[in-house]
């Protein structure tokens, strides 16, 4: 039996970093909100897993300090709108109170992401929020259905979680899992995470993935022509890719403002590849929200190509050698049968009326041979078609199995609810 693998999970990730200063470039509060909404749409369209909002002026501050710092108001607004849009609609009222940053959220286009499920949608995973309903055997979670889901852990209320529903259960029950599990096990795009960075160096140093970003790409009009470089970029061997975009003054300005990167002479040395993704541009400038769409469109095929590491579903199938052996046996039996049928026809004529042989010449013989050969060809084609169909069907349920690369552990950790980012249950031990 041969084994064929079908990709069902995705272990690799793609992250982008965007400066908060691009929000200041909009002329009004409505346009600022709409600009961030367009970036959120781009993230979902191209299945970006993480977005980092960084401060190109390198103003330090903790999340609690940032929310009170007027100099970082654009960063807070961008993060808040991105959080709001990524959150499923049935959880927004509980997680996001009325605030000035979401004043024009009603003008924004919905993301319609796979994790934004309605009550009629069927999916083994759903996003939810822990309710203040004490229970001896766990907690109750609102997952957007008429009935609350009982989970296997006691959690603090008002925390957003990802729930894996238990199949074939009389009551609605589920299990708390990592937000990355739908992507890693089923290949589902499950929204993006948001991270704040006070400088360009924090974009690299604060990577949440083990081993950091193994492929760093910078975008600039001073970079190399993407058309000549794209084939050299080793996307297939990278697990966590990062694409960094600059603001009005480019990534070079963020590099100059970051004292921790003063030992690096050229900005291009910070990245594995420094690309100009829109060479020979007609306009003097390309806005960052435009550069995101252009860059991700250019790199889309390489970012999602089949060679990257995935979780595979292995199905045992009919061995090709044995299939062709069966095909040969059927063909041989068919040919013998037709020879016997042709011989029987001649013997029947001789036994019934021997005088008919006087007018039985080459034309009559060729006619019988033609009929026999036609039947042989039709039967061979039918056998070949049936053989090709059978090779695609697994023989039994026992031979269907899942082989998971990098299996998940059961240990999870609660992140506290910060003023900037709503805490989610994430898995940190692998």
């Amino acid at each position: 039996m041969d084994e064929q693998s079908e990709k069902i999970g995705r272990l690799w990730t793609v992250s982008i970093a965007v400066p908060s200063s691009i929000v200041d470039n909009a002329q009004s509060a409505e346009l600022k909100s709409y600009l961030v909404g367009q970036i959120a749409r781009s993230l979902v369209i191209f299945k970006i897993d993480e977005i980092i909002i960084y401060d190109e002026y390198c103003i330090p501050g903790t999340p609690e300090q940032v929310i009170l710092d007027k100099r970082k108001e654009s960063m807070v607004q961008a993060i808040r709108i991105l959080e709001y849009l990524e959150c499923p609609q049935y959880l927004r009222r509980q997680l996001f109170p009325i605030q000035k940053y979401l004043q024009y959220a009603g003008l924004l286009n919905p993301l319609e992401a796979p994790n934004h499920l309605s009550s009629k949608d069927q999916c083994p995973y759903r996003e939810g929020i822990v309710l203040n309903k004490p229970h001896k055997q766990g907690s109750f979670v609102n997952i957007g259905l008429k009935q609350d889901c009982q989970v296997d852990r006691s959690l603090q209320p008002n925390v957003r979680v990802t729930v894996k529903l238990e199949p074939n259960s009389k009551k609605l029950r589920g299990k708390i899992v990592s937000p990355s599990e739908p992507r890693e096990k089923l290949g589902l795009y499950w929204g993006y995470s948001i991270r704040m960075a006070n400088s360009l160096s924090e974009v690299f140093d604060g990577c949440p993935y083990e081993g950091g970003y193994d492929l760093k790409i910078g975008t600039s009009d001073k970079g190399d022509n993407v058309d000549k470089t794209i084939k050299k970029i080793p996307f297939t061997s990278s697990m966590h890719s990062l694409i960094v975009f600059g603001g009005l003054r480019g990534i070079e300005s963020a590099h100059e403002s970051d004292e921790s990167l003063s030992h690096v002479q050229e900005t291009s040395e910070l990245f594995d590849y420094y690309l100009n993704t829109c060479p020979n541009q007609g306009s003097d400038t390309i806005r960052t929200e435009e550069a995101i769409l252009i860059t991700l469109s250019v790199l889309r095929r390489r970012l999602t190509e089949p060679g990257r590491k995935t979780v595979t579903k292995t199905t045992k199938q009919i061995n090709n050698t044995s299939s062709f052996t069966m095909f040969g046996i059927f063909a041989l039996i068919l040919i013998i049968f037709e020879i016997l049928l042709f011989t029987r026809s001649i013997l029947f004529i001789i036994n019934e009326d021997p005088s008919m042989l006087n007018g039985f010449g080459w034309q009559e013989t060729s006619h019988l041979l033609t009929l026999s050969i036609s039947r042989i060809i039709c039967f061979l084609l039918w056998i070949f078609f049936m053989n090709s169909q059978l090779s695609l069907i697994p023989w039994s349920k026992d031979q269907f199995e899942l082989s998971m690369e990098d299996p998940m552990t059961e240990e999870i950790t609660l992140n506290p609810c910060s003023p900037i980012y709503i805490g989610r249950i994430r898995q940190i031990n692998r």
Side-chain angles (χ1 to χ4, degrees):
M1 304 287 284
D2 285 343
E3 292 185 355
Q4 292 190 3
S5 296
E6 177 187 351
K7 295 176 182 178
I8 62 169
R10 177 169 66 88
L11 301 180
W12 46 268
T13 63
V14 181
S15 306
I16 71 170
V18 179
S20 60
S21 61
I22 64 171
V23 179
D24 296 328
N25 194 34
Q27 289 78 13
S28 64
E30 296 94 326
L31 292 177
K32 289 180 180 180
S33 299
Y34 194 78
L35 184 149
V36 179
Q38 288 297 97
I39 294 176
R41 287 279 303 171
S42 301
L43 298 177
V44 174
I45 289 172
F46 293 98
K47 298 183 178 181
I48 302 302
D49 302 293
E50 179 195 27
I51 179 171
I52 306 103
I53 305 297
Y54 70 93
D55 183 7
E56 60 182 335
Y57 303 111
C58 302
I59 301 174
T62 63
E64 290 75 13
Q65 294 172 340
V66 166
I67 200 171
L68 301 175
D69 194 338
K70 292 185 177 181
R71 296 174 297 176
K72 293 202 173 188
E73 188 173 358
S74 59
M75 174 179 285
V76 177
Q77 182 178 8
I79 292 176
R80 188 67 76 194
I81 294 175
L82 288 172
E83 287 177 342
Y84 178 83
L85 290 175
E86 191 274 336
C87 179
Q89 291 87 336
Y90 55 85
L91 299 179
R92 289 175 179 173
R93 181 174 295 182
Q94 296 170 281
L95 292 176
F96 296 92
I98 296 176
Q99 52 192 285
K100 64 176 182 178
Y101 299 119
L102 301 177
Q103 182 179 359
Y104 300 101
L107 302 176
L108 306 180
N109 297 318
L111 300 187
E112 298 183 3
N115 61 335
H116 292 190
L117 300 168
S118 67
S119 58
K120 298 180 180 179
D121 292 330
Q122 299 291 328
C123 183
Y125 298 93
R126 294 187 75 96
E127 290 292 295
I129 184 171
V130 181
L131 301 176
N132 190 13
K133 291 183 179 180
H135 193 273
K136 295 180 180 180
Q137 298 179 355
S139 306
F140 283 99
V141 178
N142 173 20
I143 57 173
L145 301 178
K146 294 181 180 179
Q147 182 182 359
D148 295 331
C149 179
Q150 181 180 346
V151 296
D152 57 340
R153 295 176 183 269
S154 298
L155 305 172
Q156 61 183 8
N158 300 322
V159 173
R160 180 178 166 184
V161 294
T162 302
V163 179
K164 182 180 181 181
L165 301 179
E166 294 182 2
N168 304 323
S169 177
K170 294 182 180 180
K171 294 185 178 180
L172 190 58
R173 298 178 183 272
K175 177 183 178 182
I176 302 297
V177 297
S178 166
S180 62
E181 183 171 310
R183 166 179 58 84
E184 294 180 344
K185 289 194 174 182
L186 294 182
L188 296 174
Y189 176 67
W190 210 246
Y192 53 81
S193 61
I194 308 163
R195 182 162 63 89
M196 181 190 70
N198 290 319
S199 63
L200 183 60
S201 59
E202 284 191 16
V203 172
F204 306 118
D205 299 337
C207 177
Y209 306 112
E210 184 178 357
Y213 302 110
D214 51 8
L215 179 60
K216 298 183 283 291
I217 300 174
T219 59
S220 172
D221 56 354
K222 302 177 180 63
D224 301 326
N225 190 326
V226 67
D227 299 328
K228 299 179 180 179
T229 312
I230 189 170
K231 292 184 178 180
K232 302 177 183 178
I233 304 177
F235 286 107
T236 56
S237 60
S238 69
M239 283 297 296
H240 306 294
S241 306
L242 171 67
I243 305 172
V244 180
F245 297 90
L248 298 176
R249 298 184 297 169
I251 303 178
E252 294 80 7
S253 174
H255 177 207
E256 293 175 1
S257 302
D258 195 340
E259 296 181 357
S260 62
L261 298 177
S262 58
H263 62 283
V264 181
Q265 298 296 325
E266 298 292 334
T267 305
S268 59
E269 297 176 5
L270 297 172
F271 305 94
D272 300 313
Y273 294 90
Y274 202 52
L275 302 178
N276 179 3
T277 56
C278 188
N280 303 319
Q281 63 194 55
S283 176
D284 291 338
T285 58
I286 296 180
R287 300 169 66 92
T288 304
E289 62 271 22
E290 298 168 342
I292 293 173
L293 284 172
I294 294 171
T295 302
L296 296 180
S297 298
V298 171
L299 301 179
R300 179 194 63 82
R301 184 175 179 183
R302 301 300 301 276
L303 288 172
T304 59
E305 63 186 351
R308 309 195 70 174
K309 190 175 182 181
T310 58
V311 180
T312 58
K313 178 178 70 178
T314 305
T315 305
K316 295 184 178 180
Q317 299 178 339
I318 302 173
N319 187 281
N320 291 334
T321 304
S322 61
S323 299
F324 279 107
T325 302
M326 293 171 58
F327 175 77
I329 293 173
F330 274 116
L332 181 61
I333 294 174
L334 179 62
I335 293 172
I336 294 173
F337 176 76
E338 284 295 333
I339 292 174
L340 294 175
L341 185 62
F342 178 76
T343 306
R344 182 181 178 279
S345 300
I346 299 298
L347 293 175
F348 177 80
I349 295 173
I350 295 174
N351 294 330
E352 292 293 328
D353 191 0
S355 61
M356 291 181 63
L357 291 176
N358 296 331
F360 198 82
W362 168 248
Q363 293 183 352
E364 288 76 5
T365 306
S366 62
H367 180 67
L368 287 176
L369 285 173
T370 302
L371 290 176
S372 298
I373 293 173
S374 299
R375 285 197 295 266
I376 290 175
I377 292 175
C378 291
F379 275 109
L380 290 178
L381 291 175
W382 178 79
I383 293 173
F384 180 78
F385 173 77
M386 291 300 296
N387 177 73
S388 61
Q389 294 297 314
L390 287 173
S391 64
L392 299 177
I393 303 174
W395 284 97
S396 68
K397 293 182 179 179
D398 295 334
Q399 294 167 347
F400 178 83
E401 61 184 7
L402 293 179
S403 61
M404 311 298 292
E405 301 176 17
D406 189 20
M408 307 276 292
T409 63
E410 293 296 328
E411 299 181 17
I412 59 175
T413 301
L414 278 176
N415 280 349
C417 296
S418 69
I420 294 296
Y421 186 66
I422 301 298
R424 301 180 67 178
I425 289 187
R426 296 187 178 277
Q427 182 178 24
I428 61 174
N429 297 321
R430 297 182 180 276

